[in-house]
């Protein structure tokens, strides 16, 4: 009888747990120049008009390969048409990407300083996270999950507050 009462007392809690909305997750990996370009175009197309993208770790690594730089220029055209805005954490003011973005006036940019270089960048918007490896063989890892995106956004905000204007 005692066990039955304990179990019955947990039924309302179990019912509440079962009502909670399940967070959907989708993921994909894109490899090579064609895959990387497809992922980048998807990112720009899926990001809603006027949306702000938070970007961590974009360094001059992206420009060591002209093919990757060309992909970025093409994707930036889509973002410009869709009036995307950017909050970016770059390595330093010598970043060749900085001068172009500064002139456009659509990006808030902060810097982590010397030593903050990476061949990878993390782009976050809505429930999407794109981890982009700008390397000889480029990769894009895409995760669509609200909780994961929120976690990366917290990480972004922490770094954003540490970075210098």
């Amino acid at each position: 009888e005692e066990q039955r009462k304990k179990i019955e007392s947990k039924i309302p809690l179990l019912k509440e747990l079962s009502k909670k909305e399940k967070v959907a997750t989708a993921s994909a990996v894109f490899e090579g120049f064609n895959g990387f370009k497809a992922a980048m175009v998807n990112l720009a197309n899926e990001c809603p008009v006027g949306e702000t993208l938070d970007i961590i770790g974009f360094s001059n690594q992206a420009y060591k390969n002209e093919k990757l730089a060309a992909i970025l220029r093409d994707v930036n055209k889509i973002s410009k048409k869709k009036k995307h805005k950017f909050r970016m954490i770059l390595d330093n003011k010598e970043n060749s990407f900085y001068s172009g973005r500064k002139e456009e006036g659509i990006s808030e940019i902060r810097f982590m300083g010397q030593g903050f270089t990476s061949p990878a960048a993390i782009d976050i918007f809505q429930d999407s996270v794109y981890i982009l490896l700008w390397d000889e063989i480029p990769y894009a890892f895409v995760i669509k999950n609200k909780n994961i995106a929120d976690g990366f956004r917290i990480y972004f905000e922490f770094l954003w507050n540490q970075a210098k204007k």
Side-chain angles (χ1 to χ4, degrees):
E1 183 63 29
E2 199 173 301
Q3 283 181 334
R4 188 181 61 76
K5 286 181 181 180
K6 280 183 183 178
I7 291 171
E8 283 178 356
S9 72
K10 302 297 180 193
I11 290 175
L13 175 64
L14 293 171
K15 284 182 179 180
E16 276 302 309
L17 287 174
S18 69
K19 288 180 186 177
K20 281 192 175 181
E21 186 179 323
K22 304 259 188 292
V23 177
T25 300
S27 62
V29 177
F30 297 83
E31 181 180 359
F33 289 102
N34 291 335
F36 191 83
K37 183 174 183 175
M40 292 294 292
V41 168
N42 285 347
L43 183 156
N45 285 329
E46 289 176 5
C47 189
V49 172
E51 182 75 17
T52 298
L53 284 96
D54 293 332
I55 301 173
I56 302 169
F58 201 96
S59 67
N60 272 324
Q61 295 277 346
Y63 288 98
K64 71 181 183 179
N65 184 309
E66 180 50 40
K67 282 184 177 179
L68 292 176
I71 290 170
L72 186 59
R73 285 190 297 270
D74 290 345
V75 170
N76 284 343
K77 290 175 188 173
I78 298 169
S79 287
K80 193 172 185 175
K81 286 179 186 173
K82 293 185 79 176
K83 297 181 180 2
H84 292 154
K85 294 179 178 37
F86 301 88
R87 290 193 310 161
M88 307 176 87
I89 301 171
L90 303 179
D91 48 358
N92 57 63
K93 289 186 179 182
E94 285 77 47
N95 186 314
S96 50
F97 190 69
Y98 172 61
S99 58
R101 284 297 187 178
K102 183 178 160 188
E103 289 175 18
E104 290 174 345
I106 59 173
S107 300
E108 283 184 73
I109 300 172
R110 294 192 182 174
F111 305 93
M112 291 304 290
Q114 297 301 108
F116 184 76
T117 60
S118 172
I122 303 169
D123 293 20
I124 310 154
F125 69 94
Q126 294 190 325
D127 66 349
S128 296
V129 177
Y130 282 69
I131 301 170
L132 306 165
L133 180 62
W134 299 81
D135 213 350
E136 293 300 317
I137 298 175
Y139 286 89
F141 303 89
V142 180
I143 306 166
K144 292 185 182 218
N145 176 290
K146 182 183 179 341
N147 293 335
I148 292 173
D150 288 346
F152 273 99
R153 203 168 283 108
I154 290 167
Y155 177 53
F156 175 88
E157 292 298 336
F158 175 79
L159 291 175
W160 184 253
N161 291 327
Q162 302 300 313
K164 295 173 178 58
K165 292 183 181 185

